[in-house]
Amino acid sequence: MSVKQPLNHYRRFSIAPMLEWTDRHYRYFARLMSSQTLLYTEMVTTGAILFGKGDYLSYNEEEHPLALQLGGSDPLALAQCAKIAAERGYDEVNLNVGCPSDRVQNGRFGACLMAEPQLVADCVKAMQDVVDIPVTVKTRIGIDEQDSYPFLTDFIDTVSATGCDTFIIHARKAWLNGLSPKENREIPPLDYPRVYQLKQDYSALNISINGGVKTFDDMATHLEHLDGVMVGREAYQNPYMLAEVDQRLYGMEKAVLSRDAVVDLMLPYIERHLQQGGRLNHITRHMTGLYQGVAGGRRWRRYLSENAHKAGADCEVVLAARASIQQA
């Protein structure tokens, strides 16, 4: 697909960058269900792009609109990577200022950068200077004991002074010491009103909210106050929710794809992947939640989990998994 609207149109709903999860296979799968969702890559570090042996930027053309999330804190390296991303056709570059993992902190990027707003501004400016696509920032509402509203607004003031006008705010602070990344997604309390206040005080900025968003009712509430919602785990673990996004959030009049239709549309993609030497479970691991909440859905999940990793596994495994749903 091509991007036919301004990128802010698509920002109304986006899927969060999630390590190990939002790879190109998941993004293709998600795009089948929603043409309007803004998709994000997993976080890719500047070191992986500049010095890694693999191609960390490959994607399917169908994934547009597509944003690359970068991890790094060196303005020069980030500028190099942003330039490569633009040349490769990405629609946006996003800087990770939200990830709290030890590995990220040791690399001096992620949430710990909230404590260095001028460095973040320098990074953003360096990327803006070499690309024409939007450069955006995903961050938290605070870190450790630095979680006051003035701390957050100082960060926004400093970074937005570069001309950066789009921020995705995870409505939890991050504890950089003592909590795992998983715990940082669950233990620090959500503070949605703080993000709403940010939009009130910075009405010219495009602000999306992330964290704990699960239902369309949740989204409707947030969209009364903000420009966009970013959904993470729910969009992965219950992916069929995406089949209603275009209709419910973008007002499109089109039929909702059935789960079975989604599977049928995935089969040619799976076949191509297998012909290129890929393995079935590279793709089906992202599809196990498709029948969540449906009678027999556990059989689908179990069949894929037990069989998709086997040597020679092909589309017949997917069809057999679907057939197992109907079994008594």
Side-chain angles (χ1 to χ4, degrees):
M1 66 168 289
S2 59
V3 177
K4 298 175 181 176
Q5 301 274 1
L7 211 54
N8 279 350
H9 162 86
Y10 300 102
R11 295 189 200 288
R12 187 168 175 82
F13 180 85
S14 58
I15 298 177
M18 293 177 281
L19 281 172
E20 308 293 329
W21 288 7
T22 51
D23 66 12
R24 61 191 175 93
H25 303 311
Y26 170 78
R27 298 190 306 259
Y28 184 91
F29 173 53
R31 179 61 72 216
L32 291 177
M33 291 176 277
S34 170
S35 65
Q36 303 301 296
T37 296
L38 177 57
L39 299 174
Y40 282 76
T41 68
E42 305 168 85
M43 181 187 69
V44 185
T45 66
T46 54
I49 294 170
L50 298 175
F51 308 113
K53 290 183 166 54
D55 179 3
Y56 293 90
L57 299 183
S58 65
Y59 65 90
N60 307 286
E61 282 299 321
E62 293 87 349
E63 293 172 38
H64 291 292
L66 177 63
L68 170 67
Q69 188 184 63
L70 287 174
S73 60
D74 175 53
L76 181 60
L78 284 164
Q80 287 178 277
C81 292
K83 193 166 187 294
I84 294 168
E87 290 168 351
R88 293 287 294 270
Y90 280 88
D91 300 299
E92 172 190 316
V93 173
N94 176 265
L95 181 63
N96 182 319
V97 191
C99 182
S101 79
D102 292 340
R103 185 169 64 84
V104 166
Q105 288 180 61
N106 293 336
R108 197 170 170 230
F109 54 91
C112 63
L113 285 177
M114 277 201 86
E116 301 183 72
Q118 189 54 55
L119 175 57
V120 175
D122 292 344
C123 290
V124 168
K125 181 69 164 61
M127 290 189 280
Q128 289 172 331
D129 285 346
V130 296
V131 300
D132 294 325
I133 59 175
V135 177
T136 67
V137 171
K138 184 173 189 291
T139 190
R140 296 268 184 153
I141 57 172
I143 49 173
D144 297 334
E145 304 300 340
Q146 297 172 289
D147 62 353
S148 68
Y149 187 66
F151 174 77
L152 177 58
T153 57
D154 178 61
F155 177 85
I156 297 294
D157 284 336
T158 304
V159 178
S160 64
T162 65
C164 177
D165 64 1
T166 301
F167 293 83
I168 301 118
I169 311 291
H170 187 150
R172 288 183 174 94
K173 73 173 180 179
W175 283 105
L176 300 181
N177 296 298
L179 291 184
S180 70
K182 181 177 186 296
E183 290 169 331
N184 259 303
R185 291 192 296 269
E186 298 168 352
I187 291 176
L190 288 158
D191 189 347
Y192 295 142
R194 180 164 297 191
V195 186
Y196 298 167
Q197 184 65 48
L198 201 63
K199 177 62 184 178
Q200 283 187 7
D201 295 341
Y202 296 86
S203 58
L205 298 180
N206 187 289
I207 296 180
S208 292
I209 197 164
N210 172 227
V213 183
K214 292 186 176 181
T215 69
F216 284 103
D217 286 345
D218 292 342
M219 296 174 215
T221 298
H222 293 314
L223 289 170
E224 290 175 8
H225 302 274
L226 298 160
D227 301 294
V229 290
M230 175 180 273
V231 176
R233 283 167 289 169
E234 188 67 17
Y236 189 87
Q237 294 165 350
N238 180 26
Y240 190 62
M241 68 170 290
L242 300 174
E244 293 186 66
V245 164
D246 293 357
Q247 296 85 343
R248 297 184 66 165
L249 297 182
Y250 293 89
M252 296 182 72
E253 294 184 7
K254 65 176 187 178
V256 175
L257 279 178
S258 69
R259 290 175 170 87
D260 287 352
V262 174
V263 173
D264 290 338
L265 288 170
M266 281 300 292
L267 294 176
Y269 179 81
I270 292 171
E271 195 60 49
R272 287 196 300 273
H273 177 67
L274 297 175
Q275 288 171 358
Q276 293 163 2
R279 296 179 65 91
L280 180 64
N281 65 320
H282 292 164
I283 297 174
T284 55
R285 71 187 186 93
H286 302 302
M287 299 172 62
T288 57
L290 181 60
Y291 289 87
Q292 180 174 308
V294 173
R298 288 184 179 179
R299 284 192 289 273
W300 157 267
R301 186 167 62 243
R302 186 185 310 122
Y303 194 95
L304 287 181
S305 299
E306 291 176 353
N307 295 284
H309 67 280
K310 295 178 179 177
D314 59 16
C315 289
E316 292 303 318
V317 170
V318 180
L319 294 172
R322 185 168 65 183
S324 75
I325 296 171
Q326 308 301 328
Q327 293 171 4

